[in-house]
């Protein structure tokens, strides 16, 4: 292998330290990538792949982006999930002796970004760390863009999976060799952790054990590795995940809580509930939905807040209006901490803080003093309003950061800098008059600075003290000592002005940093208020009611509706009741045709229970909800064929998990258990499952069991806490209509053939199926008998039926003749078919 | 041309034409039906371009399959049974025509279910067969292709946006008449209107007119016999340039009731600037026997058995509401009041020394006080600081600054004085020299006809050939009356028209007189005079406006001053 140049050696050394990152190496005006990195970049960013020392055979693959476009390309790479290390030239190339010194200045990974343009506004960007010690799982996670920092401990891998699914971190830090089984998050093996430092981050009464501590340590170490500052995070908050309603992974996906099954945002429960107006509220709402509470008084406190807002229309509207003007305080505070906040950020902060007193006043009467904790930070707010320029630019070095009147010194310099231009104009005027050159101009460019421009025709009037600097086609440019002297003054004034302005700005930013705890606290309260407003709005819009949450173990819903389907569905939604309790109706067997609403019914019961636990009103006329500890689901046929498991296997695994974890305080939804195998096996398993749930005393969970095995209806006779319900169908003269109404009692008809017809199967096929169904012994004929099946007979039957239906009274002779002609044609058709058969 | 019998379809279309003039009429009829069905939530959806497809959904009682079939036939209704019922119509609909009319000029589809039925019924017209369908309790009516078979009518429809505006107006009126029903109106999936339906009118007003307007509403509840006027009217500081925010309903039926609007506006009297109108959202509950609703095809006009009584009822209701509101704030442009300052932190505007300025000058900041020590306070703790442009008094109110238009203030003071005197019936004063006034024919006629009433007012005179000879005038007119003044007074008195109560016309006359005899603008006032004026103004019942409705005082709070000087 050819020897590398010194710069390439430097590159290689740097690259070796960060093998898992794409290394952007600053060379002149470009950030370059080499070797495999270049190939990846060329592919992902659609930039040209060239090579260094290209004419040699072993050219080094190279690709690059201009330095001023870094952010755009960086955004793309990060969004695709790459980790990027940025290596800058840390000394002025002009002054360097030999190789320019270079250092890594930034490492950007999906979990550690803070730039606004790389982040999604209404979603947290979690960085999680997972560790396994002594049979327990420790989970630590943070969002450095908002400062949130949490930790908890779980007892099983399923719980960990469910939690990670709800959290949806952008990046998970794990120990080398560990795989969590999730293929969507980036797994980052951490190299070393320093356990001694961990204690600084843990609160005094840290209830976690080794696993949790390890997770926190890993997280902290990773952040430090990636040059982020763990100190910037809020204090660590311990979360006891047992206090939340447990939602297993299937439940989360199938109930379409945060996104539809295909991953899009709507239709989902989030889409229905989320009318928040601030980014902080948007993030909190997502979190609210996947961490429902189990503490009745906490739930009621939330319900009280929603009820208050619902009853006080005008107050609510005023609060909504005020919230519209709040910016993303959490992220602004973070940028202040990292000293990257710009003028606009500060202005946004001031504007938001300024609205707090009004908000407090409007919401003064909210129950449980929800709005009382808001702190207007008046001192900081008025400083910002007085000091920050009303129209700052995005950058920090371009001036216009400080308002005139804030600093006498700055104003002086400003005058000087701008006054300079006035002087220039008058100087120009003077020169024109003095030398009689009417077209004399004073101009400026980066190369020569200020110059005096005179057209060629006037050159004879140019005095001696004009020093020629540049000759152009139709004019010449000069300078004078006076001009240059003034130029120095102006330029230096400008420089000093910018420096002073930045300094003043930094000071104010520093001051703001001192308020960050208060501002973050405000942000948490505002996020919650925003969520309450959203919940009140949806409750009004869709006529929800306040659920009554108790310890009764009962689930009694009157005229319940599916919150998502009623909004996004095409047809009018038909409401239905549901009653589940511990004494008589623990298990409901739901029978009836497919497509008639069984699945929707089950899901709506689960969603209503879930919404009650969130502290939201629910879509029903009334709802009494006994507190649950978990919702478990087995719905639909998820084929994980790629993972080598067939439908039935998956089904049974999920069922096993449910039966192992559910308790008498859980809600279980089972849809078509036993479908993936032979009929007899399936019925047997289904029946045994029901009996198991019924009789096993620790597992007396409330269960909704939808099935097409109507033989199971008989179980209601033998098991005292099993009841039957079914979906109603109306049959009139051959027309079948699904009424979407749930009624007591089982149904033994599947209407499968009807569904087949609706699906578009050929008429002839459907008719035959119907005929087989009606026959007593629906045995399939032996092969030799097949030709004897009489399609012609049914055709004839149809023809005769139609003829019988004709109304021949009161039609004119002409019409009668038309009818006759039609039938003759039809008879002809049938005869052809019959002939063909024979 | 021969006379012949019209075909049934034609008859239908003509009859329909009375009821269904535009999409707005369809919406109104359908919502009326929904309300009569006992709905607590009504949704109106408009879809499509051009003539929109209309859908009205309610959660009321619904219909059985048989009732559904009957509903679209002419002259069928659940709302009245005999003609006696016509005398006391208690529902919004009663003619049994609406659905039939709509069916005649559109493609109609109705889905409905009653609570007690497990299945719903669906009817589509044209067609007329009822089929089974899944449906929630209530009724959903969908009207498509309106006027598809009457091209003439379709041509006469306005632009889509105009029709939508008309629909919005209709729904708004109904929503305000029924604050206990939740209304939602959407146009191509965009929500245009949404009221909470929680039974509180003020919230419905907030949803439709905005929360700012809702904050400036006064409640009305006034009954006489068993007629009750209830609702809200706007505080005098809130007003509009037109009458578009005046919604009246009778027994919760939205109507156009000019006399009610006029009565209420009358009650505001001098509290509003000229040509500005109040907002009103009122309902009259009255025995149905006293109201005839069957007057107009669209049922928007009603007739009362005693319109005068109704007028008085509205007038008194509004007057009562305005009087009981003690917070007569100064008009529009004063916003939040801040916390009051300590009393000793006054901000003297001008140095209190300066010579009296000559009359007629227009130089600003002229001070006319000579003695700084004469800074007595008025009865409400105001200190008069100075006078500007010889027209405005500058006052330190303790927590801010007040500017007083002396002319307007004087007018108000005198007007109330005159009004009081009139009410107490002062004896007229004899004129030393009788005043001969020549009158134009109409005034002479008027004077002749109203001589008795005029003399009751205090104007005693004899008729001459060409005019009157005045020998008695009301005590208040102490100053010498000129003949022009008399003519003016009579003109004003006559202006109200023959029907209106004479005492009302006298109000107008008094206003005019107050104006004339009050201080002219640009008149110097001594501190004592100024203080006296302010005290008198403070004692007035309505001190904030002059009789013409222009403001007398402007308050500038401490906060606003600080804002002006960029201290905030």
């Amino acid at each position: 292998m050819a020897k590398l140049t010194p710069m390439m050696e430097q590159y290689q050394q740097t690259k070796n330290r960060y093998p898992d990152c794409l290394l952007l190496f600053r060379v002149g005006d470009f950030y370059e990538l080499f070797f495999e990195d270049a190939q990846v970049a060329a592919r992902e960013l659609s930039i040209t792949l060239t090579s260094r020392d290209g004419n040699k055979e072993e050219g080094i693959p190279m690709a690059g982006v201009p330095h001023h476009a870094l952010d755009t390309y960086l955004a793309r790479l990060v969004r695709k999930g790459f980790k990027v290390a940025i290596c800058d030239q840390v000394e002025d190339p002009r002054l360097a002796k030999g190789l320019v010194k270079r250092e890594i200045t930034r490492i950007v990974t999906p979990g550690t970004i803070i730039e606004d343009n790389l982040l999604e506004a209404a979603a947290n960007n979690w960085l999680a760390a997972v560790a396994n010690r002594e049979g327990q799982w420790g989970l630590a996670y943070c969002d450095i863009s908002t400062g949130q920092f949490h930790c908890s401990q779980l007892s099983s891998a399923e719980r960990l999976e469910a939690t990670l699914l709800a959290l949806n971190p952008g990046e998970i830090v794990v120990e080398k060799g560990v795989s969590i089984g999730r293929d969507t998050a980036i797994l980052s093996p951490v190299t070393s952790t320093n356990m001694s430092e961990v204690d600084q981050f843990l609160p005094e009464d840290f209830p976690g054990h080794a696993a949790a501590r390890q997770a926190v340590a890993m997280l902290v170490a990773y952040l430090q590795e990636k040059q982020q500052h763990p100190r910037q995070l809020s204090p660590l908050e311990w979360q006891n995940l047992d206090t939340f309603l447990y939602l297993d992974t299937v439940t989360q996906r199938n109930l379409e809580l945060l996104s539809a099954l295909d991953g899009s945002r709507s239709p989902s429960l989030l889409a229905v509930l989320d009318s928040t107006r601030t980014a902080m509220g948007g993030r909190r709402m997502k979190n609210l939905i996947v961490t429902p509470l189990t503490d009745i008084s906490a739930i009621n406190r939330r319900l009280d807040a929603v009820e208050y807002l619902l009853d006080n229309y005008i107050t609510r509207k005023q609060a909504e209006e005020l919230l519209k003007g709040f910016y993303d305080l959490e992220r602004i505070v973070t940028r202040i901490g990292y000293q990257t906040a710009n003028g606009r950020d500060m202005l946004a902060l001031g504007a938001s803080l300024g609205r707090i007193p009004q908000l407090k006043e409007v919401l003064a009467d909210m129950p449980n003093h929800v709005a009382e904790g808001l702190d207007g930070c008046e001192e900081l707010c008025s400083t910002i309003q007085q000091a920050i320029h009303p129209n700052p630019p995005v950058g920090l070095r371009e001036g216009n950061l400080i308002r005139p009147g804030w600093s006498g010194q700055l104003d002086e310099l400003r005058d000087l800098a701008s006054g300079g231009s006035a002087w220039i104009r008058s100087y120009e005027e003077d020169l024109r008059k003095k030398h009689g050159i009417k077209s004399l101009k004073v101009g400026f460019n980066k190369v020569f600075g200020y110059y005096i421009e005179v057209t060629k025709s006037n050159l004879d009037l140019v005095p001696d003290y004009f020093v020629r600097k540049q000759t152009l086609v139709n004019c010449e440019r000069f300078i004078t000592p006076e001009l240059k002297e003034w130029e120095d003054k102006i330029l230096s004034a400008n420089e000093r002005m910018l420096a002073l302005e930045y300094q003043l700005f930094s000071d104010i930013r520093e001051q703001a940093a001192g308020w960050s705890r208060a501002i973050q606290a405000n942000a948490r309260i505002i996020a919650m208020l925003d969520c309450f407003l959203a919940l009140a709005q949806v409750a009004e819009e869709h006529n929800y009611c306040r659920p009554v949450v108790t310890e009764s173990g009962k689930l009694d819903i009157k005229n319940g509706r599916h919150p998502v389907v009623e909004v996004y569905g095409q047809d009018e939604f038909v409401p239905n009741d549901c009653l589940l309790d511990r004494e008589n109706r623990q298990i409901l067997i739901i029978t009836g045709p497919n497509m008639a609403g069984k699945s929707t019914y089950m899901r709506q019961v689960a969603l209503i229970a879930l919404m009650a636990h969130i502290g939201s009103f629910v879509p029903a006329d009334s709802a009494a909800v006994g507190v649950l500890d978990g919702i478990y689901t087995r719905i639909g046929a998820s084929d994980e064929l790629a993972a080598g498991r067939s439908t039935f296997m998956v089904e049974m695994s999920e069922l096993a998990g449910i039966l192992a974890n559910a308790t008498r305080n859980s809600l279980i939804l089972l849809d078509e258990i036993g479908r993936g195998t032979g009929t007899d096996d399936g019925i047997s398993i289904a029946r045994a499952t029901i009996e198991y749930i019924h009789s096993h005393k620790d597992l007396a969970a409330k269960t909704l069991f939808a099935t097409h095995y109507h033989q199971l209806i008989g179980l209601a006779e033998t098991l005292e806490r099993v009841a039957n319900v079914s979906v109603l169908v109306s049959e009139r003269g051959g027309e079948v209509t699904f009424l979407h109404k749930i009624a007591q009692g089982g149904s033994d008809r599947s209407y499968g053939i009807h569904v087949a017809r609706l699906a578009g199967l050929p008429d002839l096929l459907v008719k035959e199926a119907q005929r087989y169904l009606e026959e007593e012994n629906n045995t399939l004929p032996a092969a030799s008998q097949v030709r004897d099946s009489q399609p012609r007979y049914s055709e004839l039957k149809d023809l005769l039926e139609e003829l019988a239906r004709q109304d021949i009274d009161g039609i004119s002779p002409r019409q009668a003749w038309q009818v006759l002609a039609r039938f003759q044609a039809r008879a002809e058709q049938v005869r052809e078919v019959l002939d063909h058969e024979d | 041309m021969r006379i012949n019998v019209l075909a049934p379809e034609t008859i239908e279309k003509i009859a329909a034409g009375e009821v269904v003039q535009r999409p707005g009429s369809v919406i109104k009829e359908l919502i009326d039906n929904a309300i009569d069905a006992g709905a607590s939530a009504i949704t109106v959806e408009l879809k499509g371009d051009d003539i929109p497809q209309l859908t009205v959904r309610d959660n009321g009682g619904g219909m059985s399959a048989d009732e559904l079939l009957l509903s679209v036939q002419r002259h069928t209704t659940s709302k009245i049974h005999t003609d006696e019922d016509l005398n006391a119509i208690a529902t919004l609909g009663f003619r049994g025509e609406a659905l039939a009319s709509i069916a005649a000029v559109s493609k109609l589809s109705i889905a409905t279910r009653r609570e007690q039925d497990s299945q719903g019924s669906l009817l589509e017209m044209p067609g007329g067969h009822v089929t089974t369908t899944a449906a929630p309790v209530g009724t959903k009516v969908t009207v498509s292709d309106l006027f598809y078979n009457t091209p003439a009518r379709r041509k006469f429809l306005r632009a889509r946006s105009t029709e939508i505006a008309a629909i919005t107006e209709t729904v708004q009126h109904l929503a305000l008449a029924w604050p206990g029903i939740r209304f939602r109106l959407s146009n191509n999936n965009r929500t245009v209107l949404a009221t909470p339906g929680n039974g509180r009118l003020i919230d419905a007003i907030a949803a439709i007119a905005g929360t700012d307007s809702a904050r400036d509403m006064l409640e009305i509840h006034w009954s006489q016999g068993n007629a009750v006027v209830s609702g809200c009217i706007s505080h005098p500081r809130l007003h509009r340039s037109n009458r578009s925010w005046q919604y009246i309903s009778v027994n919760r039926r939205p109507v156009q009731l000019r006399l009610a609007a006029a009565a209420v506006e009358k009650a505001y009297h001098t509290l509003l600037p000229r040509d500005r109108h109040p907002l009103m959202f009122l309902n009259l509950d009255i025995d149905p026997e006293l109201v005839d609703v069957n007057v107009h095809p669209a049922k928007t006009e009603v007739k009362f058995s005693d319109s005068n009584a109704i007028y008085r009822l509205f007038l008194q209701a509004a007057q009562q509401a305005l009087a009981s509101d003690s917070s007569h704030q100064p008009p529009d442009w004063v916003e939040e009041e801040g916390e009051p300052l300590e009393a000793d932190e006054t901000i003297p505007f001008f140095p209190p020394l300066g010579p009296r300025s000559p009359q007629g000058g227009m130089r600003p900041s002229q001070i006319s006080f000579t003695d700084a020590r004469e800074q007595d306070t008025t009865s409400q703790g105001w200190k008069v600081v100075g006078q500007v442009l010889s027209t405005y008094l500058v006052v330190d109110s303790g927590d801010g600054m007040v500017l007083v238009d002396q002319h307007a203030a004087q007018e108000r003071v005198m007007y109330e004085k005159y009004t009081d005197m009139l009410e107490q019936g002062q004896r007229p004063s004899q004129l030393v020299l009788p005043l001969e006034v020549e009158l134009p024919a109409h005034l002479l006629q008027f004077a002749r006809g109203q001589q008795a009433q005029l003399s009751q007012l205090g104007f005693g005179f004899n008729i001459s050939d060409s005019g009157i000879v005045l020998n008695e005038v009301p005590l208040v007119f102490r100053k010498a009356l000129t003949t022009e003044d008399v003519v003016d007074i009579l003109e004003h008195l006559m202006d109200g028209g023959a029907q209106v109560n004479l005492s009302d016309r006298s109000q107008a006359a008094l206003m005019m007189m107050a104006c004339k005899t009050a201080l002219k603008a640009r008149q110097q006032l001594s501190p004592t005079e100024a203080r006296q004026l302010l005290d008198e103004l403070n004692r007035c019942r309505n001190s904030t406006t002059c009789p013409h409705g222009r403001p007398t005082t402007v308050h500038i709070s401490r906060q606003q001053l600080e804002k002006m000087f960029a201290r905030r």
Side-chain angles (χ1 to χ4, degrees), chain B residues 79-140:
Chain B
K79 319 239 174 112
I80 60 173
H81 301 286
T82 63
D83 55 345
E84 273 114 46
D85 289 339
L86 268 179
N87 289 335
I89 295 171
T91 52
L92 292 177
F94 53 86
R95 292 210 182 100
E97 283 193 314
L99 283 177
S101 302
I102 296 172
V105 294
S106 72
K107 308 227 173 95
L108 183 64
S109 145
I110 306 178
T112 180
R113 177 161 82 87
R114 297 179 302 176
E115 174 82 48
Q116 62 261 47
D117 299 325
S118 55
Q119 60 201 35
S121 315
L122 173 67
L123 170 68
E124 278 175 319
M125 301 281 283
H129 300 297
V130 174
T131 53
T132 313
T133 184
V137 173
T139 305
K140 177 168 102 157

Side-chain angles (χ1 to χ4, degrees), chain A residues 581-597:
Chain A
D581 59 35
R582 294 206 178 112
E583 299 82 36
N584 302 310
R585 291 169 73 94
Q586 180 200 328
I587 302 178
L588 279 188
I589 299 182
I590 311 174
T591 42
N594 299 321
M595 262 188 61

Side-chain angles (χ1 to χ4, degrees), chain A residues 342-347 387-404 410-411 414 418 494 497-502 504-505:
Chain A
N342 64 16
R344 293 189 186 174
D345 286 332
M346 296 304 292
L347 218 54
I388 306 288
H389 196 281
N391 274 318
V394 175
L396 288 168
R397 306 282 178 177
E398 304 154 33
N400 270 343
L401 292 171
I402 303 288
R403 198 186 269 263
L410 182 64
D411 289 340
R414 274 203 179 124
S418 65
N494 208 47
M497 177 188 89
L498 288 176
L500 177 61
E501 198 161 16
Y502 183 71
L504 291 170
F505 180 77

Side-chain angles (χ1 to χ4, degrees), chain B residues 227-244:
Chain B
V228 181
V229 173
S230 59
C232 296
I233 56 174
S234 56
H235 189 283
R237 62 170 167 252
L238 179 64
H239 43 78
R240 297 266 183 270
S241 60
N242 55 31
R243 294 197 170 88
S244 57

Side-chain angles (χ1 to χ4, degrees), chain B residues 172-437:
Chain B
Q172 262 175 211
H173 208 157
L174 282 158
L176 290 164
W178 295 88
I181 299 182
R182 226 159 33 91
F183 280 86
R184 182 153 266 107
L185 168 64
S186 72
N187 179 14
N188 281 330
N189 282 321
R190 203 176 28 92
T191 304
V192 175
L193 189 155
T195 62
N198 57 16
R200 285 197 292 270
L201 177 60
I202 194 74
D203 287 343
I205 295 175
I208 291 177
T211 49
D212 290 329
S213 300
R215 269 187 302 194
D216 282 334
M217 286 286 151
L218 305 170
E219 274 195 42
I220 282 193
H221 193 91
W222 180 260
S223 58
Q224 208 163 66
N226 45 11
V228 181
V229 173
S230 59
C232 296
I233 56 174
S234 56
H235 189 283
R237 62 170 167 252
L238 179 64
H239 43 78
R240 297 266 183 270
S241 60
N242 55 31
R243 294 197 170 88
S244 57
W245 288 99
Q246 300 184 344
Y247 291 88
I248 316 275
S249 56
V250 173
N251 289 334
R252 305 231 163 262
R253 176 194 304 279
V255 293
Q256 300 297 326
L257 200 56
R258 289 275 167 73
L259 77 91
V264 173
E265 290 216 20
K266 184 85 200 199
Y268 281 85
H269 201 17
T270 59
L271 294 174
L272 292 177
R274 211 175 265 163
D275 293 332
R276 303 292 294 185
H277 305 278
L279 291 76
M280 60 183 85
F281 307 92
L282 299 170
N283 178 62
L284 170 66
D285 274 312
I286 189 173
D287 185 349
E289 299 227 349
L290 301 175
V291 172
D292 186 359
V293 185
N294 201 6
V295 173
H296 185 274
K299 306 182 204 116
T300 54
E301 305 272 334
V302 297
K303 270 180 121 55
F304 292 98
S305 51
D306 185 354
S307 358
N308 283 331
I310 302 297
Y311 180 87
R312 278 199 301 278
L313 184 60
F314 275 93
L315 177 62
Q316 285 162 350
Q319 282 173 332
Q320 213 277 332
L322 287 167
S324 65
D325 174 68
S326 52
S327 67
H328 275 267
Q329 298 283 340
D332 298 338
W333 49 94
V334 175
E335 290 155 46
E336 325 91 77
E337 314 269 312
E339 325 90 67
L341 270 180
E342 269 73 48
D344 54 358
E345 270 192 76
T346 54
I347 309 169
F349 219 54
F350 299 114
L353 285 165
R356 279 197 173 252
S357 58
Q359 196 125 356
M362 278 272 278
R363 264 166 296 157
S365 53
Q366 298 255 3
I367 312 302
S368 55
F369 287 25
T370 47
D371 193 350
R373 287 186 309 250
E374 267 200 83
Q375 292 203 14
D376 302 335
T377 51
T378 68
S379 54
Q380 72 221 103
W382 286 3
K383 287 188 206 153
V384 182
V385 174
Q387 191 181 17
V388 178
L389 293 170
S390 309
T391 303
Y392 305 100
L393 296 177
V394 182
V395 175
D396 176 4
S397 67
D399 59 351
M401 183 171 101
V402 183
L403 294 170
V404 181
D405 177 343
Q406 66 198 38
H407 179 72
Q410 180 81 302
E411 272 186 49
R412 167 57 67 178
V413 166
M414 298 195 66
Y415 169 70
E416 293 210 350
K417 260 199 208 143
Y418 295 169
T419 320
D420 287 342
M421 283 183 181
L422 252 191
E423 254 156 45
Q424 287 156 24
Q426 299 279 328
R427 267 189 11 251
S429 76
Q430 299 273 350
L431 283 180
V432 174
L433 280 174
L435 186 64
E436 263 191 68
V437 184

Side-chain angles (χ1 to χ4, degrees), chain A residues 456-518:
Chain A
K456 287 245 162 80
S457 47
N458 286 320
L459 280 180
D460 49 333
L461 298 170
V462 167
D464 293 332
Y465 68 92
F466 274 26
V467 176
R468 189 195 335 229
K469 270 289 167 181
Q470 193 186 13
T471 306
L472 293 118
V473 172
N474 44 8
C475 67
E476 287 198 355
R477 292 180 178 165
F478 305 86
I479 58 169
T480 66
E482 201 182 341
L483 184 62
K484 282 298 140 185
E485 190 189 307
W486 193 259
E487 179 180 328
D488 284 335
K489 254 204 213 149
I490 297 175
L491 287 181
S492 82
N494 208 47
E495 255 175 51
R496 280 184 293 142
M497 177 188 89
L498 288 176
L500 177 61
E501 198 161 16
Y502 183 71
Q503 183 58 45
L504 291 170
F505 180 77
S506 280
D507 290 340
I508 294 174
R509 198 169 53 188
E510 221 19 65
Q511 204 186 336
W515 290 81
S516 42
R517 291 278 173 261

Side-chain angles (χ1 to χ4, degrees), chain A residues 421-485:
Chain A
S421 60
W423 182 90
I424 293 281
R425 293 295 140 239
S426 72
Y427 185 62
E428 188 183 66
E429 196 54 42
D430 273 348
L431 287 182
R432 282 187 186 159
K433 284 210 191 93
K434 218 182 341 185
H435 306 291
I437 307 175
K438 289 219 189 79
S439 62
L440 185 146
K441 281 201 201 68
V442 175
F444 179 87
N445 70 19
K446 288 211 171 90
V447 179
F448 293 105
Y450 283 100
Y451 56 79
I452 302 168
E453 188 176 286
V454 177
T455 55
K456 287 245 162 80
S457 47
N458 286 320
L459 280 180
D460 49 333
L461 298 170
V462 167
D464 293 332
Y465 68 92
F466 274 26
V467 176
R468 189 195 335 229
K469 270 289 167 181
Q470 193 186 13
T471 306
L472 293 118
V473 172
N474 44 8
C475 67
E476 287 198 355
R477 292 180 178 165
F478 305 86
I479 58 169
T480 66
E482 201 182 341
L483 184 62
K484 282 298 140 185
E485 190 189 307

